[in-house]
Amino acid sequence: MATPRLLGISGSLRSQSTNTAVLKSLGARLGDQAEMSLFALNDIPLYNADIETEALPASVAALKEAITQADGLIICSPEYNYGTSGVLKNALDWASRPGFNSPLKNKPVLIMTSSPGVLGGVRAQSQLRETLSATLSRVICGPQIVIPGVNQKIQNGHFVDETTIEFMLAGVDHLIAEIKL
Ligand code: FNR
């Protein structure tokens, strides 16, 4: 099989987002086992079925095409008020259409969360898993990848915690195994 193409999606729009930094640093460590590009959600509008019916926004069409072209997704989300970010939930809602037959159907997805707090965004994990189950995507099971104290693990915009990077790479191994099934 050709090198798996992964799509990274950060749940934060912030230019200095720690979640985006985690994805970028992970992407730089994939070596030849996979290639990963990132899709920024900054231009995705709020979901509105009227807009969807009239003319799909170009940013949404690009997101859906990027998901279609990817062999698997890696999502890294912050935790906002014990759930995922509205930005990410909104993007998944757009990508989930048409219901049960969207680009997310059968797509292998690895979920990761990070937070400056001690719980690493773990409370957003179950919400994301539940949402993705409604899209019929194949969410990777295995040790949950939660990254607590993420602010202390970023240096000059790069995520540098080697133990966590190894843990994430093991998660990517699971994702690639799912892709190759
Ligand atoms: C937060 N933050 C937060 N952190 C956490 O661990 N649990 C939580 O429930 C929340 N809730 C929350 C709500 C809102 C509205 C904001 C803005 C923030 C803190 C959050 O984890 C922190 O801002 C992260 O740094 C955001 O991720 P990025 O932007 O660095 O990727």
Side-chain angles (χ1 to χ4, degrees):
M1 168 179 187
T3 305
R5 291 162 301 176
L6 307 179
L7 184 70
I9 301 177
S10 169
S12 172
L13 306 183
R14 239 166 37 91
S15 58
Q16 301 302 311
S17 163
T18 53
N19 286 280
T20 306
V22 167
L23 283 171
K24 285 181 177 170
S25 297
L26 177 60
R29 289 291 300 272
L30 292 176
D32 56 8
Q33 70 172 153
E35 56 189 50
M36 179 163 72
S37 57
L38 264 56
F39 191 99
L41 300 178
N42 299 61
D43 296 332
I44 303 291
L46 288 175
Y47 180 79
N48 181 335
D50 292 341
I51 300 175
E52 186 179 42
T53 308
E54 286 160 17
L56 198 64
S59 60
V60 174
L63 171 65
K64 294 178 82 167
E65 180 61 17
I67 292 172
T68 298
Q69 294 302 324
D71 296 310
L73 308 183
I74 302 181
I75 289 174
C76 195
S77 175
E79 179 179 281
Y80 283 177
N81 298 311
Y82 300 177
T84 191
S85 66
V87 161
L88 181 56
K89 177 65 165 62
N90 179 62
L92 292 174
D93 290 341
W94 274 114
S96 72
R97 307 307 292 168
F100 306 116
N101 197 22
S102 77
L104 288 167
K105 183 179 180 182
N106 290 326
K107 192 68 65 177
V109 183
L110 180 66
I111 296 172
M112 312 193 302
T113 57
S114 79
S115 165
V118 293
L119 296 182
V122 70
R123 288 165 295 206
Q125 293 246 349
S126 55
Q127 185 198 9
L128 274 170
R129 188 169 289 272
E130 184 83 349
T131 293
L132 287 164
S133 74
T135 72
L136 308 182
S137 57
R138 287 147 56 198
V139 181
I140 303 306
C141 296
Q144 287 186 315
I145 303 178
V146 296
I147 307 173
V150 68
N151 286 8
Q152 275 76 53
K153 298 167 183 168
I154 304 272
Q155 285 175 11
N156 301 320
H158 300 284
F159 182 80
V160 294
D161 187 70
E162 191 57 30
T163 304
T164 305
I165 290 172
E166 296 292 332
F167 193 54
M168 290 192 292
L169 287 171
V172 174
D173 286 344
H174 287 132
L175 177 63
I176 292 173
E178 184 72 23
I179 289 169
K180 290 182 175 173
L181 278 182

